[in-house]
Amino acid sequence: MTPIAEEMTPSNNNTMDTEDDESDVIDNDDTEGEEEEEDDDESIDLAPSLWSTPSYYRITRKGKVLKNVSERYVRDDLGLGFCMSPSTTSSSSKHRFSTGVTRKISSPGELISLLCTPSSSNNSNTSTTAPTKRKRKRKKTSTTSTTAPKVTRIAICDTNVLLHNLDLLEHPSNAISNIVITQTALAECRHNSFTAYGRVVDLLRSSGETTTTTTADGGGGKRCAIFFPDVHHVDTQLTSNTTNKTTASPSINDENDLRIRQVCEFYTKSLKNTDVQVVLLTDDVGCRNKALEEQSKKKSKSGMYKACSVREYVRTLEEEDSSLSLLDVVAQFTVAPSSSTTTTSTTRSSFKRVFPPHLSSSELLLGVKSGQYFQGILRTERASSSGNFSAYEKCYVTIRRGDERIAVSVIGLKDVNRAVDGDLVALELHPVTQWIGHEKDDEEKEDSLKKKDEEKKKKEQTTNDTSGGATIAADTAEPNIRDEDNVRDSVLVPSSTSSSSMTELRPTGKVVGIVRRNFRKNYCGSIYTAVKTITMNVEENDAELSKEEEEEGEVTQDSKAEKKKKKKQKKKGQKNDENTTEDTTTPAQARKQQQQQKTEREKITSENEIEHPDGTTTCVFFAVDNRVPPILIRTTQRDRLLGKRLLVAIDSWPAESKYPLGHYVKTIGDAGKKDVETEVLLHEHDIPCDPFPAKVLACLPPDDYKIVKTPDRLDLRHLPVLSIDPPGCKDIDDALHCTVLPNGNYQVGVHIADVTNYVKAGTAIDLEAAKRSTSTYLVNKRLDMLPGLLTTDLCSLKGNVDRYAFSVLWEVTPEADIIDVDFRKTIIHSIAALTYQQAQGLIDQPEGDSTNDIQAGAVKRLASLARKFRARRIGAGALTLASPEVKFVLDSESLNPTDVQAYALFEANALVEEFMLLANVTVGKKILRHYPTLSVLRRHPAPNRGMFDSLISKAKCRGFAIDIEDSKRLADSLDAAQIEGDAYFNKLLRILSTRCMSPAQYFCSGEYKPTDWHHYGLAAPVYTHFTSPIRRYADVCVHRLLAAAIGVDPLPVHLSSKSYLHDLAANMNRRHRAAQLAGRASVQLHTLIFFSGDNSGKEEDAYILDVDTSEGVEPSFTVIVPRYGIEGRVRLSNISANDANLVREPELHRISYKDDATGKVATSIQVFEKVRVKIWVNIVQENQKELVVDLVEPKIGPTQEVSASSDDGELTGKGDANRTGQNTPPSKKRKK
C-alpha cells in the first residue's frame, strides 16, 4: 500500500510491504510478500475468502502476451475506512501526525457523526460580495425560484479528479466537505504525479480541521476526508464473475474504475436508511454510464449512488448555496458549447480539429524504440517574439544521437502541436531540406525571411500589442540553447551543392505525441476582454475629443478663416488626396481612428470569448511569461477578475481548441500594486521565497555558539584585515589585507567566509542551499540562500569580531609580480567594514597623511597593486564592458522609491573587483590541477560573429571600425572609439557590445574540452567562483573542492559524479539567470512606481540606440535614458509609413524628414545622437500600467505630437503609446 495507507492502518494489523503493494496496485507485476507470523497463516487457512488472486493479461514490448497473477490478502476488520481525528491527550500512538491521530471508522453511525452536514460545513459561508450580474442571470434560468434544500453528501473521487481538480477539493470554502479517497485512486495518482499525490496526502491529514480563511465564496467550514483501503477490504473485492460481466478483457484502468464503483456500492449499502447521499465524482463519461448500467441491473434495495461529473456536482452545490462560486475552479477537458444566442459560424468551426491528433502510447513506444521518433523534454526559448512566431511557438527538444546531445528546433503552432514548456514529448525530425541553415547562402530563403520580418513589423504596428511599455535596459543577450543547456544546436550534413563539402544546419522537427504532461502548477497573469476595453476607450476618448474640440472652438473667426485659406493652398499643392486627408486630421481624431483598430489581444479575445448556456463565460487569460500561450478559462465572475493578477492552471489542450483550457485558481490582488507585482515576479521567475523549514533550521549552530581557534586553522587575527562593500551590506563575503614583508614584498590576502564550516555536505541545509542556488536581490528586499543566522551573522565578515575564513595568501612584489601563493583555513578579525566611498577617501588621501594610518596604508597598497593587475588583464585582452545601472532612494516607511540615481562607481569598486578576479582565477587553477574532470568552473563562450553585425554597422556610420577577431582587438577598437565632447558615446558602444554576448555559464570541467573552458570577457583560460559562498552555491562547491585539494577535508561523494555536477550546474545556471531577471523586474516595477507619482512626467536626455529604417513600416527608433536606465521605442506616429517626405537611410542608420516648401531635409534622427524625451506612465487597461517615452526634441515630421514605448518584450519592452486604452500624455499647453 502507499505510505499514507500504511500510516493510516493500525500497527497490529496484517499489512503488506509498502514497495510491493505500490508496484502491485500500479503495475500488477509482482506477488506480494508473505505474512511472517504463524497465526496469520492459520487464519488464512481457516478463512479462504480473505485471500484472492487477481489476474490480467498484458502485451510486452516484444509483442508477447503475458498473464499477470498477484496474490492479495484481504481483511474484514477495516470498517468504513480511516480518517484523521484531532489530537488527543494520548501520546503513545505510533501513527500520530502534526494534525491528529489515525481513527478507524467502525460503523455507519460513527461515519455519520464524522460527516460534515451542510449546516456545520458552511455555517460561516456568508459572502460579503454580491453575486455578479452574470451569476444572477444563471439563477433566473433555473427551473425553480427557491433555493434547493441542502443534502449531506459523501463524494468518492476517481483518479482524474485527484489529478486535475485538487484546487476544487482544497478550496477554502470546503464546499466539498465529505470526501472518500480510495487506495486505488491514491496509488494511480502517485504513479502519475507525485506532486498531486503529496497534495492529496495533505488533504487527508487536514481532515477535521476548521478553515479560518474567509473568501468571497465563504470559508471557515470543516472537512471530513476518509481514506478507504479498497484493495484489501473484503467487501470491495472483484470476483471473476464481476470482471467478466463488465468486459471480456478488462484493462488495468477498467479494473480500477470497477473497483471504485464497488466502493460506491459498499458505502451506499452501509448508509441505507440514512439521509446521506453517496456520489461518484468522475469526468469519465464511460465510467458514469457503466455505473448507471450496473445499478439498473442489480436493482439494489439499499438504494443507488449518483455518478456525476465534477461540473455537474458543483452546479448542484451552487444551487443550494448562492454564495458559492466554484465553477471557475473546475478543470476543463473539452471545448464547451456557446449559448444559442451567440452561436456563430466561428464558434461552430472551433469544434473542428485544429491540430493533428497525438499518436497513442503504443505507437509512440514502438516509434521511439525503432528510432523513428525521439523522446525529450520540450523547452521554450525565453525571449521576445520574433519573426512570424510568438515566443511560445519557438521551442526546442534535446535528443541524443549516440553520445551527443542535440537541440532540435520546433517552430510554429502546428509543429509544437499542443505541447508546452516542460512536457515530455515524442518528436519526429523533418527532412533535411526543411532544416535551418546557419549561413544564409540560399538567396530565396533569405528573401523569404526578410519578407516575413517586414510582415511581422507591419503586424506589430497595426495591432499595437498592449503587453508592456518602456523597460529597464538589458545587460546581456539571452543565453542560447548551446550555452544554457550545454548541448549542440546544429549538425554537419553533406552539402546539397557539393558531395565533398559539409554544411552546418539546425535540425527541426514536430511533436507527434505527449509522453507525459508537465503543466506548471499555476501560471500568473490577467484576463483580457475586448468588451470592457472598448467601452472604457469610447468613454475616455469621447471626453478627450470633446475637450480638444472645445479648445479648438475658442479660436477667433479671423484665425479660422486664415486656417481655411492655408488648408486650401496646401490642398492645391498636394498631388494625392491621401496626404491631404492625413494633414487635416487633428491629433485627437487620429488617436480615435487608431483606437478603432483591434489589438492582437483583442483579436484573440473576440475569437475565443464565448458565453455558455449555464451563465459562465470563456475568457482569455494572458500569462506574464510570454512563453505560455493564451489560456481559455471558464468563469462566472469575468467583471470581478478584470484588472486583477490571477493564478490559473492548465487542464488540457484538446485538438479542437487553438489554445489550452484551464481553470481559475485564485486572485493574487490588484494589478499594479507593489506587493502584488512583487509576488507575481517571484512566482514567474520561480524564486524560492518560503521560510526555511524546521529541518534546515535544526542544522544551525546553537544560540550560544562561540568562534574559537582550532588546531587546523591558521590564526591571522593579528593582521589588519578589512572589508569594502556597498553601504548597508550585511552579508559580507570577503575581506582583504596587505602588509609589508621584511624583504620589501607585500603579503596580500583575500579572506572568504568559510560557509562550509556550518553547511556540511548532504545535510538538510546543504540540500536547501543547492536547491535555491543563489540569493536574490530585489529593490526592497533580499531573499537569502542561507538562513539569516549564517547570512548576516556567523558567516558575515563583520568588523571587530572573530570569524572563520578560507584564505588565499600571495607574496607579491610592489610591481605586482606574484612570487608564491598559499591556501589555508583561517580565523580572522576584521578591523573595519568600509563602504566604497570610505575606501575611496582613504585612496585619495595624500601620501604624508597616511603614513601612520593602518587602514589607509593597506588600502593604498591594494589600490596600487590593483591598477597594475588591471593593466595586465586588459593588455591580455580582457574587456571593459558597461551596463546601465541605477539605484533607488526608498522611503523609510513605505519603501516606495523617492528618487532614482545612476549607480556611481569608484576606484575602490575596481580595487575589490580586481582581487576577487585574482582569487577566482588562482583557485580555479588549483582545483583543476587536482580534479581535472570534476571541477566546477565558469565559462564565457566567444560571441557569435553575426551578433556583432549591427554594432559594426552602427559604429561605421560614425567613422569607427570595430574589430571582433578576438577579445584583444575588440577591446582596442572600443578604446579607440572616442568622440571629443561626447563621453557617453564610448559607453554606448560598450553597452551594445555587452548585449552581443551571452552570459557566462557554470559547467563541469569533464564535459568540455580545455579549449572550451575559456572566459572570453576576462581573457582567462580558467575561471571559477570562489569569493561569494554566502550568496552562491557554486562557491560552496568550489570551497569543498579546494579543501579536498589541500587535504583539509575529503571530497564529498556527490561531487565525484559528473552526472550530478551536470545537473547541479544546470540548476545553478537556471537559478542565477532567474535571480537576475527577477532583480531587473523589481527595478522595472519600482521605476514604474516612481514615475506614477508624477502626473506631469519627467523630461530627460536620452541617446538613440537603434533606428528602424525598414520600408513600409511606421518610422521609429529606440532610446536609452542613462539617468534612469530606461529603454523604450519612440514611434513617429505623426509620419505616415508612405510619406513622400520621409527619407530612410539604412546604411547610415538614419531617418530624415524634408520640408514641404524647400524640399530639403529639415530634421534627421541618427543612431547615437542625443535627444530630449519625456517619461510618463500610461494606463493600458484598468490597473495595468506601462512606462512610456515621448520625443520632445528635436521636432520631426508634419506635426509635433509623437509618442513612444518599447516593443521588444521583457528585455527591451513592447507596446505603443498611441494604442487602445491609453491616457493622453501630459501637455504643457493644456496645463496653461
Side-chain angles (χ1 to χ4, degrees):
M1 63 183 70
T2 56
I4 186 64
E6 185 180 35
E7 290 171 349
M8 301 190 80
T9 305
S11 59
N12 60 347
N13 290 335
N14 300 328
T15 59
M16 299 171 297
D17 181 75
T18 302
E19 294 182 2
D20 289 343
D21 180 71
E22 177 194 345
S23 59
D24 180 38
V25 174
I26 297 174
D27 298 320
N28 287 349
D29 284 333
D30 303 320
T31 301
E32 297 179 2
E34 299 291 339
E35 302 294 335
E36 297 179 356
E37 300 181 8
E38 295 180 2
D39 56 347
D40 291 338
D41 293 335
E42 293 175 1
S43 64
I44 292 173
D45 293 335
L46 296 175
S49 62
L50 300 183
W51 176 75
S52 64
T53 56
S55 63
Y56 70 94
Y57 295 90
R58 68 182 182 90
I59 300 177
T60 66
R61 294 183 178 182
K62 295 183 179 180
K64 294 182 179 180
V65 178
L66 293 182
K67 180 180 180 181
N68 283 47
V69 181
S70 301
E71 290 184 345
R72 180 173 294 137
Y73 296 94
V74 296
R75 298 169 54 169
D76 58 1
D77 61 345
L78 298 179
L80 292 165
F82 300 84
C83 70
M84 303 301 297
S85 62
S87 299
T88 63
T89 55
S90 173
S91 59
S92 60
S93 175
K94 178 181 176 182
H95 304 285
R96 181 179 295 276
F97 296 97
S98 59
T99 57
V101 294
T102 305
R103 173 178 178 177
K104 186 177 84 169
I105 306 171
S106 303
S107 65
E110 186 177 357
L111 173 62
I112 293 174
S113 67
L114 291 173
L115 294 180
C116 302
T117 61
S119 58
S120 65
S121 61
N122 294 314
N123 56 359
S124 61
N125 289 358
T126 55
S127 176
T128 58
T129 304
T132 61
K133 293 181 180 179
R134 197 169 298 277
K135 190 170 181 179
R136 286 198 296 267
K137 179 180 178 182
R138 177 164 53 88
K139 294 298 181 184
K140 287 181 181 180
T141 59
S142 179
T143 57
T144 176
S145 60
T146 60
T147 304
K150 297 181 179 180
V151 180
T152 301
R153 299 182 180 88
I154 183 168
I156 300 173
C157 306
D158 76 347
T159 305
N160 285 326
V161 174
L162 300 184
L163 288 173
H164 304 293
N165 278 290
L166 272 175
D167 290 321
L168 178 65
L169 300 181
E170 296 170 337
H171 197 270
S173 66
N174 285 344
I176 305 181
S177 52
N178 302 312
I179 306 169
V180 174
I181 298 172
T182 64
Q183 183 180 347
T184 296
L186 188 62
E188 275 194 290
C189 177
R190 187 175 190 233
H191 178 66
N192 286 278
S193 171
F194 202 81
T195 301
Y197 167 79
R199 293 172 65 186
V200 175
V201 170
D202 291 339
L203 187 72
L204 286 168
R205 290 176 175 173
S206 67
S207 180
E209 290 184 339
T210 300
T211 304
T212 57
T213 305
T214 301
T215 66
D217 306 321
K222 290 185 178 180
R223 176 187 292 122
C224 176
I226 299 170
F227 171 77
F228 188 81
D230 61 302
V231 176
H232 306 290
H233 200 290
V234 66
D235 292 324
T236 56
Q237 294 305 300
L238 302 182
T239 64
S240 57
N241 292 334
T242 306
T243 306
N244 291 336
K245 286 179 182 179
T246 305
T247 177
S249 55
S251 64
I252 298 178
N253 289 334
D254 292 334
E255 182 177 321
N256 290 338
D257 290 343
L258 179 57
R259 190 182 300 279
I260 294 174
R261 295 197 297 273
Q262 289 280 89
V263 174
C264 293
E265 290 186 9
F266 170 73
Y267 270 92
T268 303
K269 181 179 179 182
S270 300
L271 294 172
K272 66 178 179 180
N273 301 325
T274 68
D275 295 331
V276 179
Q277 182 182 27
V278 179
V279 178
L280 170 61
L281 279 187
T282 176
D283 285 322
D284 185 345
V285 178
C287 184
R288 295 201 300 269
N289 292 337
K290 287 181 180 179
L292 184 62
E293 179 184 346
E294 291 167 359
Q295 291 185 93
S296 62
K297 287 181 178 179
K298 292 181 179 179
K299 297 181 180 179
S300 174
K301 296 181 181 180
S302 59
M304 297 178 65
Y305 64 89
K306 180 181 180 181
C308 63
S309 67
V310 177
R311 185 169 293 277
E312 181 185 353
Y313 185 70
V314 168
R315 193 176 293 113
T316 302
L317 295 178
E318 290 191 349
E319 289 175 358
E320 296 177 355
D321 187 348
S322 60
S323 67
L324 294 175
S325 182
L326 298 177
L327 282 176
D328 296 15
V329 192
V330 178
Q332 295 188 82
F333 299 99
T334 58
V335 180
S338 64
S339 173
S340 58
T341 57
T342 60
T343 303
T344 63
S345 58
T346 303
T347 305
R348 288 191 296 268
S349 65
S350 65
F351 290 92
K352 296 179 181 179
R353 193 180 298 276
V354 180
F355 296 95
H358 290 151
L359 300 181
S360 65
S361 300
S362 57
E363 290 175 309
L364 294 179
L365 187 65
L366 292 174
V368 171
K369 185 178 179 181
S370 65
Q372 181 182 1
Y373 308 134
F374 295 89
Q375 185 172 297
I377 297 177
L378 182 119
R379 292 297 182 192
T380 305
E381 298 181 32
R382 184 184 286 275
S384 59
S385 305
S386 61
N388 266 354
F389 304 103
S390 302
Y392 55 83
E393 299 177 70
K394 298 186 65 178
C395 310
Y396 65 93
V397 177
T398 301
I399 65 173
R400 288 193 176 274
R401 190 184 68 169
D403 294 333
E404 287 186 309
R405 299 195 311 149
I406 300 172
V408 179
S409 298
V410 185
I411 302 175
L413 272 179
K414 293 292 185 183
D415 285 350
V416 176
N417 195 9
R418 296 173 282 150
V420 298
D421 186 74
D423 283 350
L424 181 63
V425 302
L427 185 78
E428 182 180 13
L429 292 178
H430 284 314
V432 178
T433 54
Q434 298 182 25
W435 289 10
I436 302 173
H438 266 234
E439 297 181 3
K440 298 179 180 178
D441 50 1
D442 188 340
E443 294 182 0
E444 293 182 1
K445 185 182 294 184
E446 184 176 1
D447 292 340
S448 175
L449 290 174
K450 285 182 178 179
K451 289 180 181 179
K452 287 184 178 180
D453 287 339
E454 289 179 1
E455 290 173 2
K456 179 65 177 178
K457 288 179 180 178
K458 290 180 181 179
K459 181 181 178 182
E460 288 174 347
Q461 295 188 358
T462 56
T463 57
N464 297 334
D465 191 6
T466 63
S467 55
T471 64
I472 297 303
D475 295 333
T476 61
E478 281 294 321
N480 56 39
I481 299 169
R482 181 188 182 108
D483 297 331
E484 198 167 41
D485 289 344
N486 293 340
V487 297
R488 295 183 57 189
D489 60 352
S490 60
V491 294
L492 289 174
V493 298
S495 174
S496 58
T497 58
S498 174
S499 58
S500 60
S501 62
M502 304 291 286
T503 304
E504 192 172 21
L505 302 176
R506 287 179 56 188
T508 61
K510 63 179 180 180
V511 174
V512 295
I514 308 293
V515 179
R516 185 179 66 249
R517 281 289 189 192
N518 191 29
F519 293 140
R520 213 168 76 194
K521 182 180 178 181
N522 293 319
Y523 299 91
C524 183
S526 301
I527 66 170
Y528 196 92
T529 174
V531 177
K532 184 76 175 178
T533 305
I534 292 172
T535 304
M536 180 179 64
N537 294 338
V538 170
E539 293 174 355
E540 290 179 355
N541 294 308
D542 284 348
E544 180 185 338
L545 186 60
S546 62
K547 184 178 179 181
E548 294 192 7
E549 288 173 348
E550 288 177 4
E551 291 177 356
E552 293 173 2
E554 295 174 359
V555 183
T556 62
Q557 295 295 327
D558 293 339
S559 62
K560 282 186 177 180
E562 187 178 349
K563 209 171 186 179
K564 287 182 179 179
K565 185 178 180 181
K566 287 182 178 180
K567 284 183 179 179
K568 287 181 179 180
Q569 291 175 350
K570 194 169 185 178
K571 188 172 182 180
K572 290 179 180 179
Q574 293 292 341
K575 292 185 177 181
N576 60 61
D577 294 334
E578 185 179 349
N579 289 338
T580 305
T581 305
E582 188 177 329
D583 290 336
T584 58
T585 303
T586 65
Q589 292 170 339
R591 279 196 301 275
K592 192 166 184 178
Q593 290 172 2
Q594 287 181 347
Q595 288 162 354
Q596 290 172 352
Q597 298 175 348
K598 287 187 176 181
T599 67
E600 185 69 18
R601 290 189 172 184
E602 284 176 337
K603 288 181 178 180
I604 296 175
T605 302
S606 62
E607 292 171 358
N608 295 276
E609 189 170 302
I610 304 172
E611 293 189 0
H612 304 290
D614 61 356
T616 60
T617 302
T618 293
C619 295
V620 185
F621 169 90
F622 292 92
V624 173
D625 188 349
N626 65 353
R627 297 176 300 171
V628 181
I631 303 171
L632 307 182
I633 66 171
R634 198 168 167 184
T635 178
T636 60
Q637 47 183 345
R638 180 187 66 183
D639 294 340
R640 264 172 51 187
L641 298 181
L642 284 173
K644 306 288 186 181
R645 287 299 194 189
L646 314 175
L647 289 182
V648 165
I650 295 181
D651 301 317
S652 62
W653 196 341
E656 296 80 19
S657 176
K658 187 176 180 181
Y659 301 109
L661 308 180
H663 68 269
Y664 162 86
V665 176
K666 76 170 187 176
T667 300
I668 299 176
D670 293 333
K673 288 189 176 181
K674 184 177 68 174
D675 293 342
V676 173
E677 294 299 334
T678 299
E679 185 177 347
V680 168
L681 70 89
L682 291 175
H683 180 276
E684 281 308 299
H685 294 100
D686 194 22
I687 304 298
C689 52
D690 294 330
F692 289 96
K695 61 182 179 181
V696 171
L697 300 178
C699 300
L700 297 175
D703 295 337
D704 58 349
Y705 180 81
K706 301 292 183 183
I707 294 178
V708 296
K709 171 70 173 70
T710 57
D712 59 332
R713 290 188 178 272
L714 179 66
D715 193 345
L716 299 181
R717 288 177 288 182
H718 62 285
L719 295 178
V721 175
L722 50 83
S723 61
I724 306 174
D725 292 281
C729 180
K730 295 182 179 180
D731 51 342
I732 303 175
D733 293 278
D734 54 85
L736 301 162
H737 89 267
C738 182
T739 58
V740 182
L741 297 174
N743 61 1
N745 291 338
Y746 297 150
Q747 184 190 60
V748 177
V750 169
H751 311 277
I752 307 301
D754 190 4
V755 172
T756 55
N757 181 74
Y758 306 99
V759 181
K760 301 300 183 182
T763 60
I765 193 171
D766 180 54
L767 297 177
E768 182 69 20
K771 175 185 173 183
R772 299 191 178 210
S773 286
T774 182
S775 295
T776 302
Y777 293 85
L778 307 182
V779 172
N780 59 338
K781 66 169 68 175
R782 183 187 69 237
L783 300 168
D784 295 324
M785 182 184 76
L786 297 170
L789 178 63
L790 299 183
T791 299
T792 60
D793 190 6
L794 294 180
C795 290
S796 183
L797 306 184
K798 300 186 293 186
N800 302 313
V801 292
D802 293 348
R803 287 291 181 262
Y804 292 141
F806 208 156
S807 303
V808 183
L809 306 171
W810 295 274
E811 181 180 349
V812 185
T813 67
E815 298 304 316
D817 295 322
I818 296 176
I819 305 300
D820 193 18
V821 63
D822 192 16
F823 308 91
R824 300 291 295 270
K825 288 284 186 94
T826 60
I827 181 171
I828 64 171
H829 185 95
S830 176
I831 63 172
L834 304 177
T835 65
Y836 288 124
Q837 293 89 333
Q838 291 171 335
Q840 189 62 44
L842 297 178
I843 294 174
D844 295 338
Q845 278 186 14
E847 289 293 337
D849 296 344
S850 60
T851 305
N852 299 320
D853 189 335
I854 296 177
Q855 295 182 25
V859 173
K860 280 182 170 291
R861 288 190 291 272
L862 288 170
S864 174
L865 292 173
R867 295 186 197 108
K868 297 180 175 67
F869 283 133
R870 182 178 179 82
R872 288 179 186 173
R873 275 198 315 108
I874 294 176
L879 297 173
T880 303
L881 301 175
S883 61
E885 294 185 54
V886 296
K887 66 177 181 178
F888 291 86
V889 179
L890 302 180
D891 181 81
S892 58
E893 295 182 0
S894 66
L895 295 182
N896 285 334
T898 58
D899 193 15
V900 184
Q901 302 172 353
Y903 192 78
L905 294 177
F906 302 94
E907 185 184 357
N909 296 72
L911 182 158
V912 175
E913 178 188 12
E914 210 57 47
F915 283 102
M916 296 305 108
L917 291 175
L918 178 63
N920 288 333
V921 170
T922 305
V923 170
K925 293 178 180 178
K926 177 68 175 178
I927 63 174
L928 192 60
R929 194 177 305 121
H930 289 264
Y931 301 103
T933 61
L934 299 175
S935 293
V936 177
L937 303 178
R938 190 161 174 83
R939 63 188 290 267
H940 185 207
N944 188 332
R945 295 179 63 89
M947 297 183 70
F948 275 93
D949 289 344
S950 177
L951 175 61
I952 293 173
S953 176
K954 291 174 182 176
K956 183 180 179 181
C957 77
R958 301 305 295 269
F960 297 100
I962 302 297
D963 189 346
I964 59 171
E965 191 64 31
D966 54 41
S967 61
K968 171 62 175 172
R969 294 187 183 183
L970 175 59
D972 291 343
S973 58
L974 289 175
D975 290 339
Q978 303 280 350
I979 295 180
E980 187 176 352
D982 188 358
Y984 200 75
F985 170 74
N986 186 260
K987 186 172 182 178
L988 278 179
L989 285 180
R990 296 182 187 276
I991 289 173
L992 293 177
S993 297
T994 307
R995 296 185 185 181
C996 295
M997 305 175 191
S998 297
Q1001 301 284 319
Y1002 295 110
F1003 71 102
C1004 172
S1005 57
E1007 288 191 283
Y1008 286 88
K1009 297 179 294 184
T1011 53
D1012 293 332
W1013 297 345
H1014 186 76
H1015 195 291
Y1016 180 84
L1018 298 175
V1022 175
Y1023 188 70
T1024 191
H1025 272 168
F1026 165 76
T1027 56
S1028 296
I1030 294 179
R1031 59 185 179 89
R1032 291 189 307 229
Y1033 189 74
D1035 303 58
V1036 174
C1037 297
V1038 172
H1039 276 231
R1040 289 173 179 153
L1041 288 164
L1042 181 60
I1046 64 176
V1048 174
D1049 293 316
L1051 184 68
V1053 176
H1054 60 273
L1055 291 183
S1056 302
S1057 168
K1058 285 197 291 186
S1059 61
Y1060 173 84
L1061 290 174
H1062 169 83
D1063 294 339
L1064 186 66
N1067 183 64
M1068 290 189 298
N1069 288 328
R1070 183 175 61 87
R1071 291 291 190 189
H1072 180 73
R1073 184 62 178 167
Q1076 284 182 323
L1077 294 175
R1080 199 165 75 208
S1082 181
V1083 173
Q1084 167 77 6
L1085 171 62
H1086 283 76
T1087 303
L1088 190 63
I1089 294 172
F1090 172 72
F1091 282 100
S1092 296
D1094 190 343
N1095 294 328
S1096 61
K1098 294 181 182 294
E1099 288 192 8
E1100 192 58 53
D1101 289 337
Y1103 290 84
I1104 299 174
L1105 291 178
D1106 183 60
V1107 179
D1108 189 352
T1109 58
S1110 303
E1111 294 290 342
V1113 298
E1114 180 184 81
S1116 62
F1117 56 93
T1118 303
V1119 297
I1120 184 172
V1121 186
R1123 170 76 168 79
Y1124 302 113
I1126 295 170
E1127 183 174 331
R1129 178 168 288 271
V1130 177
R1131 299 188 187 279
L1132 302 177
S1133 54
N1134 58 319
I1135 304 177
S1136 169
N1138 300 315
D1139 196 317
N1141 294 326
L1142 179 64
V1143 181
R1144 306 174 192 265
E1145 300 173 273
E1147 297 82 6
L1148 298 178
H1149 295 270
R1150 182 169 65 191
I1151 55 176
S1152 307
Y1153 197 82
K1154 296 185 293 186
D1155 184 79
D1156 280 333
T1158 63
K1160 295 181 179 179
V1161 172
T1163 315
S1164 65
I1165 295 290
Q1166 189 175 21
V1167 69
F1168 299 130
E1169 285 184 345
K1170 182 192 288 189
V1171 294
R1172 190 74 175 172
V1173 297
K1174 176 177 284 187
I1175 307 161
W1176 58 285
V1177 173
N1178 168 57
I1179 299 176
V1180 180
Q1181 182 180 354
E1182 298 205 356
N1183 294 329
Q1184 298 180 25
K1185 301 177 181 178
E1186 67 177 7
L1187 209 58
V1188 181
V1189 184
D1190 284 349
L1191 179 65
V1192 178
E1193 293 290 343
K1195 311 293 184 183
I1196 183 171
T1199 61
Q1200 304 288 329
E1201 190 170 349
V1202 293
S1203 52
S1205 70
S1206 169
D1207 67 346
D1208 294 323
E1210 184 180 9
L1211 295 179
T1212 58
K1214 56 182 174 181
D1216 190 339
N1218 284 337
R1219 67 170 69 120
T1220 304
Q1222 288 193 322
N1223 292 344
T1224 305
S1227 170
K1228 291 183 179 179
K1229 180 179 179 181
R1230 290 181 188 173
K1231 256 189 156 182
K1232 293 179 182 179

